Amino acid sequence: MHYQKPKGTADILPAEAKKWQYVENIAQEVFETYNYHEIRTPIFESYDVFERSSGESSDVVSKEMYDFNDKGERHIALRPEGTAGVVRAYVENKLFGPEQVKPYKVYYHGPMFRYERPQSGRQRQFHQIGVEAFGSTSPDLDVETIAMAMQLLARLKLTDMHLVINSLGDAATQAAYHQALVDYLTPLQAELSADSQRRLTSNPLRILDSKDQHDQELVAQAPTILDFLSEDSAQHFAAVKTGLTNLGIDYEIDHTMVRGLDYYTNTIFEIMVTSPAFNNQEMTAIGGGRYDGLVKEFGGPDEPGIGFGIGVERLLLLLDDQDAALQEKPLDFYLVKTSEAVESSAFKLLQAIRRNGYSADQDYLARKVKGQFKNADRLHAQYVITVGETEVETGNVPVKNLATGEQIEIEIAAFENNFADVLAKLQK
RNA sequence: GCGGUAUUGGUGAAGUGGUUAACACACCGGUUUGUGGCACCGGCACACGUGGGUUCGAUCCCCACAUACCGCCCCA
């Protein structure tokens, strides 16, 4: 019996991991320019944390939670998304306290888990990069958050993207609209698709983005949530739109856009990208929004929050397609040994190079000189140093530039005591 | 959770109910006693996902399971 990775998981091998580092580094750079700082919270939390935040009826909770009882009979769940844990940490560490500057801005990245059937760009363990900002209801914060998301994708050289926004209003808005939608659709129930008939009782908002053609026609006539916004929510949404325009960010309003988690309020947004990687179908690269009741829900003060999340696997599919320039970093030096007798001297030379901050490697499989050169080539080494018995005697080694084929002599001692001299000779 | 397709070496893959499982790439060695290319020569499958079954005999037929991919639910 051989082992295989658990269903829906993936090994990220070194070549791929380089791309992850690239994305994570750029995200960090962009976020820090907006004064966001990293937070790391546990990968698992008490099951209640997610049940409370995502909504008991949501699919994420009702059937996708990766949960178990630990040896102390605690009901634990692997986090299905990032916001809940961060909100829990925000409240538990009393980060809402007066000694903190508000808004309190954090970002995170790491694995998330959902027990679902794996599919394209969808796994049981997947990864998100996300941000959260607490403590301000300012529409400018919404604008900033959206602008930051756009900037991140732009830095990653994504094109063909467009921003879609909507407002879900506050709690009162949502209750009123929910009722109005049900009132509108119930008489039409017989005309709805089977799926949507079921949704009518389970999650009516979902009918808004049904894939069924006829459903869409019916929905087109349905009341829009934007007509139900409370005065505060309407003003907030108007200010967000003005703010976006002010920064020159184009947007589209889609009043049928809904999101999967129950905690969103007021502004929600998605950045859609069209890419051959997904058959030129438009897909969401970044989704996020406000969650003004969540901190209170977790036992904190009645403080607002806003954030977004990015699915890293999906993002990387997009980047692959755009041929993100990710050059493999070549090895600086490869050390070729001609016999066992020189191994100890060669090893010291190798270590000297590494101590000076340059990458270097050697053969450990007793290969012939020719084989060692081949390896140097495969590793894209810039220089090959050949160490043989003559070299050890004379104190000079040939250093060959693999790209040009030129070879020069350098003193072994220089590698040990005067690396600057080595570099100077290589420059010529 | 439901439905469909797939599963052969390090990789891409061909193939058959019955002595030695194509071909290519990669890799290793040699032709070249210490220099990367090319060429030529040679080597390279616990036997075809796992477990059962049918059969005189199965990698090829049947069943179950596992995993991957696609679609649905859902999500984004």
Side-chain angles (χ1 to χ4, degrees), chain A residues 59-78:
Chain A
D59 267 56
V60 168
V61 167
S62 61
K63 62 180 205 191
E64 293 175 3
M65 203 77 103
Y66 224 119
D67 67 323
F68 57 94
N69 288 315
D70 72 8
K71 291 180 182 180
E73 290 308 312
R74 283 170 282 256
H75 193 186
I76 298 296
L78 269 31

Side-chain angles (χ1 to χ4, degrees), chain A residues 27-151:
Chain A
Q28 174 174 348
E29 278 178 40
V30 172
F31 296 160
E32 302 234 345
T33 61
Y34 284 79
N35 194 32
Y36 278 73
H37 300 286
E38 185 179 3
I39 186 169
R40 302 194 184 199
T41 66
I43 278 173
F44 59 87
E45 297 270 356
S46 169
Y47 178 89
D48 307 331
V49 167
F50 306 113
E51 181 181 49
R52 171 55 68 88
S53 62
S54 301
E56 296 168 38
S57 65
S58 70
D59 267 56
V60 168
V61 167
S62 61
K63 62 180 205 191
E64 293 175 3
M65 203 77 103
Y66 224 119
D67 67 323
F68 57 94
N69 288 315
D70 72 8
K71 291 180 182 180
E73 290 308 312
R74 283 170 282 256
H75 193 186
I76 298 296
L78 269 31
R79 62 185 184 191
E81 54 96 31
T83 301
V86 172
V87 173
R88 192 230 80 230
Y90 181 74
V91 173
E92 184 168 345
N93 294 287
K94 299 188 167 54
L95 301 175
F96 48 75
E99 68 275 26
Q100 304 290 349
V101 177
K102 288 188 191 156
Y104 190 84
K105 303 183 196 175
V106 292
Y107 70 87
Y108 58 85
H109 63 93
M112 309 289 164
F113 305 83
R114 288 184 198 174
Y115 195 88
E116 60 182 343
R117 190 80 172 253
Q119 241 180 82
S120 66
R122 207 201 290 196
Q123 296 172 316
R124 289 187 172 180
Q125 176 177 335
F126 61 105
H127 298 76
Q128 287 190 341
I129 296 173
V131 308
E132 316 288 350
F134 299 98
S136 166
T137 55
S138 167
D140 282 345
L141 184 60
D142 303 35
V143 172
E144 171 181 284
T145 304
I146 292 170
M148 184 167 77
M150 299 286 280
Q151 187 178 331

Side-chain angles (χ1 to χ4, degrees), chain A residues 166-170 172-178 180-181 205 208 222-230 233-234 237 253-258 264 266 268:
Chain A
N166 189 22
S167 174
L168 297 179
D170 48 29
T173 303
Q174 291 182 17
Y177 178 64
H178 188 282
L181 189 61
L205 292 193
L208 293 176
T224 149
I225 193 166
L226 297 178
D227 291 334
F228 286 78
L229 293 183
S230 64
S233 288
F237 195 46
I253 298 169
D254 178 359
H255 71 268
T256 68
M257 182 169 77
V258 293
Y264 285 108
N266 286 310
I268 59 173

Side-chain angles (χ1 to χ4, degrees), chain A residues 149-158 161 271 285-286 315:
Chain A
M150 299 286 280
Q151 187 178 331
L152 173 58
L153 294 186
R155 273 290 303 278
L156 292 169
K157 301 190 176 65
L158 283 182
M161 53 180 177
I271 301 175
I286 292 188
L315 183 63

